[in-house]
Amino acid sequence: MSVQSITPYLLLNGRTRDAIALYEQALGATTHSVATFGDTDGSCPSALEQRVMHAELRVNGAVLLMSDGPADSPVPDHNMVNIAIAFDDPAELRRAFDALAVGGRVFEKVFPPPWGGLFGMVVDRFGMQWMCTCERAD
């Protein structure tokens, strides 16, 4: 199987920077990267430019991913965790994505995002939200 990792992905409705500060203080996390919507999409509205699109923290080798999420569709408080699953094979990503979608709902079709590779989001029939990524897009 080509799964590289499975990681929790927190959606924080505009509170990511506060969460980073807390996790650094409380857990000893180190911030590996922070990208805003303005960093990756030059056409985004100015109100979204400083919102965190993606952040990666590390805690003793463990990875924690998070995002403010888009301002126009806030995440319900009861559904703030996604599962980020990274693949090394685009065909395997598509196979797994399609299998997870059976009886579920495609939230974001697999596409080549501005940061490269492939990305797609699907909610499986159990209500679990999966963020599927692959560094390769071939």
Side-chain angles (χ1 to χ4, degrees):
M1 181 126 197
S2 69
V3 172
Q4 298 296 293
S5 63
I6 297 177
T7 307
Y9 201 112
L10 310 180
L11 299 176
L12 294 159
N13 290 329
R15 300 176 294 174
T16 298
R17 292 182 196 280
D18 293 337
I20 289 171
L22 172 63
Y23 301 152
E24 286 176 339
Q25 184 271 324
L27 304 175
T30 57
T31 301
H32 183 69
S33 65
V34 175
T36 66
F37 283 94
D39 292 336
T40 59
D41 181 2
S43 66
C44 83
S46 60
L48 296 179
E49 285 179 352
Q50 295 305 309
R51 285 181 70 90
V52 175
M53 183 187 77
H54 177 78
E56 179 179 331
L57 277 65
R58 302 215 175 148
V59 184
N60 291 336
V63 175
L64 182 62
L65 304 175
M66 57 185 68
S67 172
D68 283 336
D72 58 349
S73 58
V75 178
D77 284 338
H78 66 279
N79 207 4
M80 296 174 59
V81 177
N82 284 290
I83 303 162
I85 183 168
F87 293 86
D88 65 2
D89 178 359
E92 185 62 19
L93 178 150
R94 292 179 190 281
R95 186 207 60 77
F97 186 91
D98 291 345
L100 290 167
V102 173
R105 178 176 57 89
V106 172
F107 187 77
E108 184 79 53
K109 292 180 182 179
V110 175
F111 73 103
W115 58 88
L118 291 174
F119 178 81
M121 292 178 66
V122 62
V123 179
D124 70 22
R125 68 180 178 259
F126 305 108
M128 298 295 110
Q129 297 182 85
W130 296 86
M131 302 173 83
C132 302
T133 64
C134 186
E135 290 184 7
R136 297 181 10 227
D138 45 280

